[in-house]
């Protein structure tokens, strides 16, 4: 279905949610289209429905992409639609030099509000781990920023509904990777027997 222009009022969101189907947004791949996609997804997610976004490559709009590549290629894009968080991370990374400190801060501050909407601790842990790895930063820093955001948030009803009170929110500690334990074992061996160092 097509919305008229980039506006996506709550009435349209409510109509779509009644269809009980998966919703993927495919707006133009320019700044206006990306911002429209974010607004539309936020409207639908506020109704408790999972949403995805179709990433149309090369700055094309869906119509232009289909004319050039055919409907099958477009269906493949739809099948590989990204989650809202993945889309937000992609956009934040595109608009920031995340090899620098300021860029890392910018990406995290843009992603935190989306992380705060996730009500599954396992998914939150996975997403934080992936983001920390991508930006080469400590997971705990992202968790701290998320806690601060939840504490400042004035959306008390949403936080309470998700059980995300700042006093009760907790995250499972990620297991250390095997390479960490292997390195510790090698260091211990070298301390116990210096002849193995070479």
């Amino acid at each position: 279905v097509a919305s008229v222009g980039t506006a996506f009022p709550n009435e349209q969101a409510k109509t779509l949610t009644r269809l009980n189907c998966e919703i993927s947004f495919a707006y133009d791949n320019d700044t206006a289209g990306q911002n429209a996609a974010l607004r539309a997804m936020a409207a639908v997610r506020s109704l408790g429905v999972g949403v995805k976004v179709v990433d149309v490559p090369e700055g094309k709009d869906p119509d232009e992409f289909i004319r050039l590549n055919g409907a099958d290629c477009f269906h493949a894009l739809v099948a590989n639609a990204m989650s809202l968080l993945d889309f937000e991370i992609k956009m934040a990374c595109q608009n920031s030099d995340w090899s620098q400190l300021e860029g890392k801060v910018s990406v995290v501050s843009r992603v935190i509000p989306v992380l705060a909407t996730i009500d599954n601790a396992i998914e939150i842990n996975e997403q934080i781990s992936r983001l920390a790895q991508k930006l080469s930063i400590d997971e705990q820093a992202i968790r701290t920023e998320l806690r601060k955001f939840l504490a400042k948030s004035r959306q008390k009803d949403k936080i309470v509904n998700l059980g995300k009170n700042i006093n009760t929110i907790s995250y499972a500690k990620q297991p250390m990777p095997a390479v960490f334990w292997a390195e510790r074992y090698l260091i211990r061996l070298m301390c116990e027997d210096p002849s193995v160092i070479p």
Side-chain angles (χ1 to χ4, degrees):
V1 294
S3 59
V4 179
T6 57
F8 191 76
N10 279 344
E11 293 75 24
Q12 288 183 352
K14 288 175 183 173
T15 301
L16 282 178
T17 57
R18 284 198 290 266
L19 298 175
N20 195 26
C21 58
E22 184 177 88
I23 300 173
S24 298
F25 289 94
Y27 281 97
D28 295 0
N29 200 3
D30 56 14
T31 302
Q34 290 174 341
N35 290 333
L38 288 172
R39 285 193 304 271
M41 287 189 290
V44 174
R45 277 195 67 134
S46 69
L47 300 173
V49 177
V51 292
K52 293 185 175 179
V53 62
V54 178
D55 187 23
V56 182
E58 301 162 12
K60 307 274 192 261
D61 62 32
D63 173 64
E64 188 178 3
F65 181 86
I66 292 169
R67 287 174 190 267
L68 290 173
N69 302 287
D72 289 340
C73 287
F74 185 73
H75 286 301
L77 291 180
V78 173
N80 293 306
M82 295 186 287
S83 70
L84 173 59
L85 184 60
D86 287 335
F87 181 66
E88 189 68 73
I89 290 172
K90 177 179 180 280
M91 284 184 57
C93 289
Q94 279 179 349
N95 298 326
S96 305
D97 178 10
W98 47 276
S99 64
Q100 303 296 321
L101 176 61
E102 296 86 6
K104 294 178 196 290
V105 171
S106 174
V107 170
V108 171
S109 64
R110 184 166 177 168
V111 170
I112 287 293
V114 184
L115 275 174
T117 66
I118 299 173
D119 62 350
N120 184 298
I122 296 170
E123 186 181 355
I124 290 174
N125 277 317
E126 177 65 23
Q127 295 290 3
I128 288 175
S129 179
R130 285 175 51 207
L131 182 59
Q133 194 168 28
K134 183 176 183 67
L135 299 178
S136 299
I137 59 176
D138 183 24
E139 287 182 28
Q140 195 56 44
I142 300 173
R143 295 180 201 285
T144 300
E145 290 305 308
L146 178 58
R147 286 191 190 96
K148 285 185 345 191
F149 177 85
L150 290 171
K152 289 179 185 175
S153 175
R154 293 295 168 234
Q155 299 173 338
K156 296 284 187 185
D157 55 335
K158 192 168 191 178
I159 293 172
V160 170
N161 288 340
L162 297 179
K164 287 188 177 178
N165 184 296
I166 193 62
N167 296 320
T168 60
I169 189 166
S170 62
Y171 302 98
K173 189 172 181 180
Q174 293 290 320
M176 298 304 288
V179 68
F180 172 83
W181 296 110
E183 287 172 341
R184 288 187 68 165
Y185 183 69
L186 288 172
I187 291 169
R188 192 182 79 203
L189 278 178
M190 288 187 287
C191 289
E192 291 175 355
D193 182 7
S195 68
V196 301
I197 292 175

